[in-house]
């Protein structure tokens, strides 16, 4: 089927970013959240980013208005009835996701594919809450979705080849390079590789070996990474890193995934990164 309209549930950093990207690429978008204040906040963030692009001469004011006009703001799941592809991008809580997906499943047309932007959860488990496990997959974009080039496409136990191909074609249309995760495993590819680096960096802090700042400098200059682990955790959310760590440990029982004390302390202190204005750094947030 031809995809012209994309539904996005969740207007936070990831959902809002995916909606913005899709609208930029010419798709109509239905952006939904539980409260209109979250939707408005997501659109306000898009507007701010586009205003900066206008200042830099990358887009025009008319381009901005055209992009915003493609986005339908709503709190009503029924508005997903006419979308051609659906992406869930809400809180990383399995039960909350499954409840929401079951509701949306009843609204969508039978042929519509459902994707989840989860960064680590079982696609098979999420698909089980719907009537279309063959048309369900993981569509893991990276933050910020408008900039990051990768999209992981994850198979559930019942995901069809046709679903995977349609999703790959859509990812390409959104300007992304996609990779196929053939087995539904916790963390998929990127987080399975990245999270051990995060945890080892935190353990170095716990052990008093070095500061977060010096570890970031060492990683960037020694491994040629664009960002250090602590900078990246601040950007993406320290709470997300903690959730993924706890999920991996619950799923595998491996000692590798036990959360270090310093990570737990950051969560208890409410220092979640850029979203709260303080994380491993207190002065990294750009105004």
């Amino acid at each position: 089927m031809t995809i012209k309209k994309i539904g996005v549930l969740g207007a936070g950093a990831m959902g809002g970013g995916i909606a913005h990207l899709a609208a930029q690429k010419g798709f109509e978008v239905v952006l939904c959240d539980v409260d209109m204040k979250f939707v408005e906040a997501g659109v306000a963030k898009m507007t701010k980013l586009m205003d900066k692009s206008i200042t830099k001469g990358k887009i025009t004011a008319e381009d901005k208005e055209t992009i915003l006009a493609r986005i339908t703001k709503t709190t009503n799941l029924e508005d997903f009835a006419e979308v051609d592809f659906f992406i869930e991008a809400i809180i990383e809580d399995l039960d909350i996701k499954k409840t929401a997906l079951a509701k949306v499943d009843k609204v969508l047309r039978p042929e519509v594919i459902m994707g989840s932007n989860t960064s680590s959860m079982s696609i098979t488990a999420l698909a089980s809450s719907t009537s279309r496990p063959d048309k369900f997959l993981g569509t893991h974009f990276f933050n910020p979705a408008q900039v990051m080039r990768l999209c992981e496409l994850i198979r559930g136990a019942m995901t069809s080849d046709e679903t995977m191909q349609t999703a790959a074609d859509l990812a390409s249309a959104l300007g992304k390079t996609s990779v196929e995760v053939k087995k539904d495993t916790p963390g998929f590819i990127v987080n399975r590789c990245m999270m051990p680096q995060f945890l080892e960096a935190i353990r170095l802090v716990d052990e008093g070996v070095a500061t977060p700042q010096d570890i970031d400098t060492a990683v960037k200059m020694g491994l040629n990474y664009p960002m250090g682990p602590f900078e990246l955790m601040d950007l993406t959310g320290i709470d997300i890193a903690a959730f993924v760590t706890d999920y991996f440990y619950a799923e595998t029982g491996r000692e590798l995934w036990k959360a270090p004390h310093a990570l737990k302390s950051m969560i208890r202190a409410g220092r979640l990164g850029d979203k709260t204005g303080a994380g491993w750094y207190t002065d990294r947030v750009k105004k």
Side-chain angles (χ1 to χ4, degrees):
M1 64 180 292
T2 301
I3 297 172
K4 295 181 179 179
K5 182 177 289 190
I6 298 173
V8 180
L9 180 62
M14 288 309 307
I18 294 167
H20 186 188
L21 170 67
Q24 283 180 320
K25 295 297 183 180
F27 292 92
E28 296 295 317
V29 177
V30 177
L31 179 60
C32 180
D33 212 314
V34 294
D35 191 305
M36 187 54 71
K37 69 181 181 182
F38 298 129
V39 181
E40 295 289 1
V43 174
K45 186 174 181 180
M46 300 177 203
T47 301
K48 184 177 180 180
L49 289 171
M50 286 189 283
D51 285 341
K52 289 182 179 179
S53 293
I54 291 170
T55 301
K56 295 177 181 178
K58 294 181 178 180
I59 64 171
T60 66
E62 290 75 17
D63 292 332
K64 182 184 82 169
E65 295 308 315
T66 298
I67 291 167
L68 291 174
R70 295 187 181 121
I71 301 173
T72 299
K73 299 178 289 186
T74 185
T75 59
N76 186 0
L77 296 180
E78 296 293 330
D79 289 334
F80 287 133
E82 298 304 318
V83 304
D84 305 311
F85 196 101
F86 168 81
I87 299 172
E88 167 271 310
I90 63 174
I91 185 172
E92 288 283 83
D93 181 294
L94 185 64
D95 290 336
I96 292 174
K97 283 183 182 290
K98 290 178 72 173
T99 298
L101 290 166
K103 291 178 180 178
V104 175
D105 177 53
K106 293 180 172 62
V107 173
L108 298 175
R109 304 192 312 279
E111 68 272 20
V112 173
I113 291 171
M114 301 181 75
S116 172
N117 189 62
T118 180
S119 62
S120 58
M121 289 185 172
S122 168
I123 301 305
T124 303
L126 293 172
S128 70
S129 64
T130 77
S131 63
R132 61 188 84 201
D134 60 319
K135 294 182 176 65
F136 195 101
L137 79 160
T139 49
H140 183 206
F141 292 82
F142 291 78
N143 188 20
Q146 304 95 315
V147 176
M148 298 296 282
R149 295 175 293 172
L150 181 68
C151 181
E152 289 181 316
L153 301 178
I154 307 102
R155 285 182 180 268
M158 303 296 290
T159 308
S160 71
D161 291 342
E162 181 181 3
T163 293
M164 294 298 293
Q165 185 59 58
T166 299
D169 291 343
L170 177 59
S172 179
L174 291 173
K176 303 303 178 190
T177 296
S178 64
V179 293
E180 180 178 343
V181 181
K182 298 179 180 295
K183 185 176 180 181
D184 185 14
T185 187
F188 318 133
I189 297 172
V190 173
N191 276 342
R192 279 287 293 275
C193 294
M194 180 178 69
M195 290 307 299
Q197 298 180 60
F198 279 5
L199 296 178
E200 201 59 28
I202 296 169
R203 291 184 183 111
L204 288 172
V205 171
D206 260 350
E207 295 166 10
V209 174
T211 65
Q213 292 83 355
D214 280 350
I215 293 169
D216 279 349
T217 297
V219 167
K220 287 186 290 185
M221 294 187 175
L223 297 177
N224 202 29
Y225 285 11
M227 298 182 75
F230 296 100
E231 291 175 305
L232 186 54
M233 278 186 275
D234 273 4
L235 175 65
T236 57
I238 296 171
D239 53 332
I240 302 301
F243 171 82
V244 173
T245 298
D246 290 343
Y247 180 75
F248 282 8
Y249 185 63
E251 286 288 305
T252 67
R254 294 174 61 189
E255 290 294 308
L256 166 68
W257 301 117
K258 290 191 77 170
H261 176 73
L263 179 58
K264 295 177 181 179
S265 293
M266 296 295 281
I267 301 301
R268 290 165 183 161
R271 296 172 64 97
L272 308 183
D274 292 6
K275 69 179 76 176
T276 60
W280 299 107
Y281 290 80
T282 58
D283 58 353
R284 213 191 65 80
V285 183
K286 295 180 180 179
K287 305 297 182 184

